[in-house]
């Protein structure tokens, strides 16, 4: 465990943190903060990054008034959002209406508990880490569905239904892609998945799966070109049309945190997580978290790039892509992977 | 001590939410309580050291099955007064079904025993660390060796159910709008667009309004959709005016 390594010198500190109940609780809170605070700052700056990158792609300037290069824009937005009035529609189901944004936001935070940022360096380095991620990301649909229903509005409801169908469809192909990766790893532990990529990142031998996973991640986070649940041309703003002020802000934060999470999953499954591109001297000096962050940033850039480039899919095209293209192809690839590993005798044996 | 406390919290919330599934007036609330129940069941699995089952429970039941429940239930239009009507009449029947289920459960619980072919001690009991094997591997070892036939049979049953559901709901609607995607992708700009240079103040009216492509409006349609009959030549108009007399 890296924790013990970090604190080896000062036995008093170790005594407090590892052998007293108060110490355990304090340590847990500190660990959670260590991941949540950078995450929230990242979310704030992701909104700025999106606007800046899109502006550059469309030959505009983007936000440049608040602070140097607009770096304070995120905080200006936050203050604006918080000082607005919270409006609850008269026909809405009050409890569920307010529950939905909290659900979306907290689920997006919860998943980060298992993301390893270094060798074994995660808040919870659990055996079934990848299943935990899949479980949490499949729960994201509830926030949207409940928001759509509780708003008591046609547009919100239609957006919620669209989102439910879309997310459930693409989860199937995400699951199959993950299974193909797991076949090559032989473990459900995220740290083992990264360590299995020491020699070659999985995006090289499994390039088609990498692409399918990335596109499914776009659909799973309701991002362009799959942002039909909030298609403003036909549904006004989709499931969050009735939301305002902080409740809207929580949806917004949750959506961006989910984007970062999905980028993290792409990095861990296919881009080698915290591993450097090559295991040679100058690259291994840079610590693991830096590599992970760089890879996440790259994925986020592609998320934004896609948004600036492609028009929105039609709904039947979206469903066709998910069920008739991705599902059969990833199933075929999974079987081919298993067959190849078995034929070459590379199937991971006897590991946990 | 701590483990027992957590167990009782999970168990109590599980039972309470299961009861609320039945007693909640709003069916959407029922489904949401059902989801809460699933979560607590997953928590109990975690406590018993079966983390794989816990995660699968959340992924399959909460992430997929309950989403579809919620999906359907949200679209129901339920008249609560009419639902109450049959309560007196059906109560004895419901009680009988419940009684039979309870008796069966009690019988099953009385004769409960662990499988004799269990590989190693997988879990060390409530809140204890597991044995040498993770329970994912243990479960796989058991399922794919001793129970392979039952496992495959389950798969077949699911396949039949899936095909049945598709057959029941698949309808060929002649008014559907489906495209042959390959053909649609092969269309070139020259087939569909005419670039016109017009002087200021003039519309395209003089040129016959906006033009539908002379070729290929129906070319990309799947036979039998767009209201186009499958076998004979589709009723194709050479040039169709759209701005004036929309179809």
């Amino acid at each position: 465990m890296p924790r013990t390594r970090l604190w080896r010198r000062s036995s008093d500190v170790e005594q407090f943190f590892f052998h007293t109940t108060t110490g355990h609780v304090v340590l847990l809170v500190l660990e959670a903060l260590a991941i949540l605070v950078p995450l929230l700052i990242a979310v704030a700056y992701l909104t700025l990054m999106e606007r800046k990158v899109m502006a550059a792609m469309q030959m505009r300037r983007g936000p440049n008034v608040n602070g140097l290069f607009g770096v304070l824009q995120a905080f200006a937005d936050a203050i604006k959002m918080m000082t607005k009035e919270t409006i609850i529609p008269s026909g809405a189901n009050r409890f569920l209406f307010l529950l939905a944004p909290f659900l979306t936001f907290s689920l997006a935070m919860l998943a980060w508990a298992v993301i390893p940022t270094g060798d074994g360096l995660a808040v919870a380095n659990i055996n079934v880490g990848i299943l935990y991620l899949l479980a949490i990301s499949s729960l994201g649909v509830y926030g949207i569905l409940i928001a759509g229903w509780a708003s008591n509005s046609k547009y919100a409801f239609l957006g919620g239904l669209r989102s439910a169908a879309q997310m459930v469809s693409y989860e199937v192909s995400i699951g199959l892609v993950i299974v193909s990766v797991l076949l090559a790893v032989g473990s459900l532990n995220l740290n083992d998945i990264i360590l299995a990529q020491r020699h070659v990142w999985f995006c090289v031998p499994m390039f088609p799966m990498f692409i399918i996973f990335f596109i499914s991640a776009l659909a799973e986070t309701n991002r362009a070109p799959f942002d039909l649940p909030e298609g403003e041309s036909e549904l006004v703003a989709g499931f969050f049309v009735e939301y305002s002020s902080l409740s809207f802000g929580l949806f917004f934060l949750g959506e961006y945190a989910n984007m970062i999470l999905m980028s993290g999953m792409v990095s861990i499954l296919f881009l080698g997580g915290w591993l450097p591109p090559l295991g040679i001297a100058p690259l291994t000096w840079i610590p693991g978290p830096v590599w992970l962050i760089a890879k996440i940033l790259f994925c986020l850039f592609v998320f934004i790039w896609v948004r600036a480039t492609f028009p929105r899919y039609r709904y039947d095209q979206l469903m066709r892509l998910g069920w008739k293209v991705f599902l059969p192809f990833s199933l075929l690839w999974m079987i081919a992977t298993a067959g190849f590993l078995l034929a070459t005798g590379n199937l991971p044996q006897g590991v946990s | 001590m701590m483990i027992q406390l957590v167990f009782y919290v999970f168990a109590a919330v599980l039972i309470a939410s299961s009861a609320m599934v039945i007693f909640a007036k709003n069916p959407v609330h029922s489904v949401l309580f059902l989801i809460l129940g699933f979560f607590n069941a997953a928590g109990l699995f975690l406590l018993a050291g079966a983390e794989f089952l816990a995660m699968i429970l959340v992924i399959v039941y909460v992430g997929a099955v309950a989403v579809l429940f919620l999906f359907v239930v949200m679209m129901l239009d339920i008249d609560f007064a009419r639902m109450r009507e049959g309560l007196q009449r059906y109560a004895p029947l419901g009680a009988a079904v419940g009684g039979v289920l309870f008796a069966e459960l009690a019988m099953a619980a009385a004769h409960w025993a662990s499988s004799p072919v269990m590989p190693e001690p997988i879990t060390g009991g409530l809140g204890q660390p597991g044995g040498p094997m993770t329970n994912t591997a243990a479960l796989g070892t058991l399922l794919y060796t001793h129970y392979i036939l039952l496992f495959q049979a389950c798969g077949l049953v699911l396949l039949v159910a899936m095909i049945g559901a598709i057959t029941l709901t698949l309808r060929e609607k002649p008014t559907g709008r489906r495209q042959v995607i390959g053909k649609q992708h092969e269309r070139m700009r020259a087939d569909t667009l005419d670039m016109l240079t017009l002087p200021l103040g003039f519309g395209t009216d003089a040129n016959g309004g906006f033009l539908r492509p002379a070729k290929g409006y129906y070319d990309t349609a799947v036979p039998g959709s767009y209201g186009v009959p499958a076998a004979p030549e589709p009723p194709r108009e050479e040039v169709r005016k759209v701005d004036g007399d929309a179809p």
Side-chain angles (χ1 to χ4, degrees):
Chain A
M1 290 294 279
R3 283 182 205 157
T4 36
R5 221 187 303 143
L6 280 176
W7 295 109
R8 188 180 289 155
R9 289 203 195 96
S10 46
S11 57
D12 282 350
V13 175
E14 189 184 325
Q15 172 67 27
F16 172 68
F17 277 130
F18 293 111
H19 302 290
T20 62
T21 316
T22 332
H24 271 300
V25 174
V26 171
L27 188 67
L28 215 61
V29 171
L30 285 180
E31 281 176 350
L33 285 180
I35 197 107
L36 289 183
V37 171
L39 178 65
L40 286 175
I41 294 172
V43 166
Y45 278 96
L46 178 59
T47 60
L48 181 69
M49 173 179 163
E50 174 163 43
R51 293 167 73 174
K52 276 290 190 189
V53 171
M54 293 243 306
M57 286 176 179
Q58 296 162 352
M59 299 210 269
R60 297 181 284 116
R61 292 241 175 132
N64 61 353
V65 175
N66 294 313
L68 197 65
F69 304 117
V71 284
L72 297 179
Q73 183 67 36
F75 298 99
D77 284 342
I79 291 166
K80 181 198 81 172
M81 204 99 83
M82 278 189 282
T83 48
K84 281 187 167 185
E85 184 190 355
T86 306
I87 298 168
I88 298 176
S90 53
N93 185 322
R94 236 185 130 79
F95 177 71
L96 289 180
F97 186 80
L98 292 176
L99 177 74
F102 280 105
L103 199 64
T104 307
F105 179 71
S106 48
L107 282 175
M109 301 289 119
L110 214 59
W112 281 88
V114 296
I115 300 281
T117 50
D119 196 357
L121 202 63
V123 176
N125 188 7
I126 58 175
N127 274 335
V128 287
I130 189 73
L131 287 181
Y132 176 84
L133 276 185
L134 198 62
I136 296 291
S137 75
S138 69
L139 293 182
V141 63
Y142 282 106
I144 294 173
L145 206 53
I146 291 174
W149 183 77
S151 300
N152 197 22
S153 148
K154 281 178 205 139
Y155 296 124
F157 187 54
L158 285 172
L161 290 185
R162 276 186 178 191
S163 158
Q166 175 179 331
M167 290 171 88
V168 168
S169 305
Y170 279 84
E171 248 153 45
V172 180
S173 57
I174 284 193
L176 285 174
V177 171
I178 288 177
V179 170
S180 332
V181 170
L182 294 182
L183 276 173
V185 177
S187 167
L188 299 176
N189 186 314
L190 288 171
N191 208 43
D192 291 350
I193 292 175
I194 293 171
L195 285 176
Q197 303 179 61
R198 261 165 313 185
H199 306 298
V200 59
W201 295 355
F202 284 141
C203 69
V204 178
M206 296 198 189
F207 187 71
M209 290 293 104
F210 172 53
I211 300 296
I212 286 185
F213 190 88
F214 189 81
I215 296 175
S216 301
L218 287 177
E220 187 77 5
T221 47
N222 294 326
R223 287 284 300 178
F226 305 111
D227 53 349
L228 288 130
E230 50 196 85
E232 62 273 345
S233 53
E234 68 261 42
L235 292 183
V236 196
F239 60 89
F240 52 63
V241 63
E242 302 291 345
Y243 282 87
S244 60
S245 87
L246 208 57
S247 52
F248 170 75
L250 284 177
F251 267 122
F252 198 71
L253 291 178
E255 187 175 319
Y256 279 83
N258 266 330
M259 272 171 70
I260 303 180
L261 177 70
M262 276 295 168
S263 305
M265 276 176 81
V266 173
S267 313
I268 287 171
L269 287 173
F270 292 101
L271 300 176
W274 41 261
L275 285 173
L278 293 169
I280 50 173
L283 292 177
T284 49
W285 292 343
I286 301 172
V290 177
W291 284 115
L292 185 69
I293 289 168
K295 286 164 188 174
I296 289 178
L297 278 178
F298 169 74
C299 293
L300 287 173
F301 176 77
V302 183
F303 264 77
I304 298 166
W305 189 6
V306 166
R307 182 181 168 192
T309 309
F310 292 111
R312 186 176 293 143
Y313 255 57
R314 218 170 51 206
Y315 197 68
D316 60 319
Q317 290 171 333
L318 172 92
M319 283 298 164
R320 182 184 166 275
L321 186 72
W323 288 106
K324 290 189 177 175
V325 181
F326 283 0
L327 179 61
F329 188 72
S330 48
L331 196 59
L332 191 74
W333 188 276
M334 187 190 89
I335 295 167
T337 309
F340 176 80
L341 289 173
L342 196 66
T344 55
N346 282 325
L347 207 59
Q349 294 285 341
V351 282
S352 54
Chain B
M1 173 58 203
M2 196 66 189
I3 296 292
Q4 272 79 0
L5 192 69
V6 175
F7 172 82
Y8 283 117
V9 168
F10 276 131
V13 177
L14 174 60
I15 290 170
S17 58
S18 315
M20 284 308 289
V21 174
I22 305 169
F23 292 125
K25 281 185 183 151
N26 192 329
V28 172
H29 292 176
S30 280
V31 177
L32 292 175
F33 275 115
L34 183 65
I35 293 163
L36 185 63
F38 282 146
F39 263 114
N40 285 284
L44 287 180
F45 272 136
L46 270 185
L47 275 189
E51 70 258 20
F52 181 76
L53 281 181
M55 291 302 154
I56 289 295
L57 185 74
V58 173
I59 292 172
V60 174
Y61 280 92
V62 183
V65 174
V67 171
L68 298 182
F69 276 3
L70 203 58
F71 202 99
V72 172
V73 164
M74 277 179 176
M75 289 196 280
L76 290 179
D77 187 21
I78 293 175
D79 186 356
F80 291 106
R82 268 196 57 210
M83 255 172 62
R84 294 279 155 63
E85 258 173 25
L87 189 65
Q88 298 288 330
R89 201 144 44 92
Y90 295 125
L93 190 66
V97 172
V100 168
L101 276 178
F102 182 76
E104 282 177 353
L105 274 180
M107 278 157 68
H111 298 279
W112 173 266
S114 281
S115 162
V117 289
M118 207 73 150
E120 291 279 305
I122 305 168
T123 60
L126 215 57
Q128 301 300 312
M133 228 172 176
T134 66
N135 57 58
T136 315
L139 205 63
T141 317
L142 212 56
L143 265 187
Y144 292 110
T145 52
H146 291 279
Y147 297 113
I148 183 70
L149 280 176
L150 289 173
F151 185 73
Q152 295 284 345
C154 288
L156 271 182
V157 170
L158 283 176
L159 181 69
V160 169
M162 198 164 78
I163 294 174
I166 293 173
T167 327
L168 284 176
T169 51
L170 187 69
R171 276 176 301 168
E172 288 290 329
K173 275 188 292 183
T175 50
R177 294 186 163 238
R178 282 171 296 129
Q179 287 178 319
V180 182
I181 302 286
K183 278 188 181 172
Q184 174 69 18
H185 284 172
E186 278 170 16
R187 293 173 83 185
M188 304 303 291
R189 188 189 282 180
D191 299 339
T192 54
L193 267 185
D194 258 344
M195 298 302 285
L196 301 177
T197 312
L198 293 171
L200 270 184
F202 286 88
T204 51
D205 292 350
N207 292 307
F210 288 104
L211 298 181
R212 280 284 184 194
K215 171 178 146 329
Y217 183 58
Y218 292 107
D219 276 1
T220 60
V222 172
S225 70
Y226 279 85
V228 181
E233 181 67 14
R236 185 183 295 171
E237 298 155 62
E238 275 308 300
V239 169
R240 233 166 82 195
K241 246 179 117 174
V242 169
D243 59 345
D245 48 322

